[in-house]
Amino acid sequence: MEPMIHADEDAGSGRVFELAAELFGVLATPMRLRILSALCDGERSVTQLLEKIDTTQPNLSQHLNVLYRSGVLAKRKDGTQVIYRVQSEKAVTLCRAVCTQIAIEVDEPLQLPPSERLLGKAVA
């Protein structure tokens, strides 16, 4: 297997690994992966996310805040509602790759939204 970063690229690789570790840390909980998956096919309010994800509002808000502060999600206000959307496509790509591979290895199909099933994409 070839290394991710070649030896001749060492000058900047420390920062690359630091940024990758930060992203892995942010995505290191199943709840945050569920949130990211729920937002892959479009923006949603906190209320809409609670309908899709089995958790409490305070717990969801805490995880949304971590994802927002890290740049994975963006948000906007619509009246009294806060609407979240994916900001970091690299986070989505990473989650799709990892979760798809794990699903294959454990022989457990991912629950894909209809739009993703048609396109053959996997969602975290």
Side-chain angles (χ1 to χ4, degrees):
M1 177 182 261
E2 192 170 320
M4 293 183 294
I5 297 177
H6 297 287
D8 58 348
E9 298 172 9
D10 274 342
S13 67
R15 183 72 179 134
V16 168
F17 289 130
E18 287 174 22
L19 292 171
E22 286 176 19
L23 181 57
F24 281 123
V26 168
L27 300 175
T29 68
M31 181 59 62
R32 292 184 199 145
L33 296 176
R34 285 185 188 101
I35 292 167
L36 192 57
S37 178
L39 292 170
C40 277
D41 57 351
E43 61 182 22
R44 297 192 193 288
S45 68
V46 174
T47 304
Q48 291 169 322
L49 287 168
L50 282 169
E51 291 170 1
K52 294 181 76 71
I53 300 169
D54 184 27
T55 190
T56 63
Q57 189 275 328
N59 187 44
L60 179 66
S61 292
Q62 178 185 15
H63 287 288
L64 286 167
N65 191 36
V66 170
L67 291 165
Y68 171 73
R69 284 193 335 255
S70 68
V72 172
L73 299 182
K75 66 182 179 179
R76 66 179 176 85
K77 291 278 277 184
D78 184 12
T80 60
Q81 295 280 327
V82 178
I83 311 296
Y84 287 89
R85 70 181 178 280
V86 172
Q87 177 76 22
S88 172
E89 286 303 319
K90 71 179 170 254
V92 172
T93 301
L94 174 65
C95 289
R96 281 185 176 143
V98 172
C99 291
T100 299
Q101 186 60 40
I102 290 170
I104 289 166
E105 289 175 7
V106 298
D107 196 31
E108 182 178 312
L110 292 172
Q111 298 299 315
L112 302 177
S115 61
E116 296 290 324
R117 281 186 218 128
L118 295 174
L119 298 174
K121 294 180 183 175
V123 178

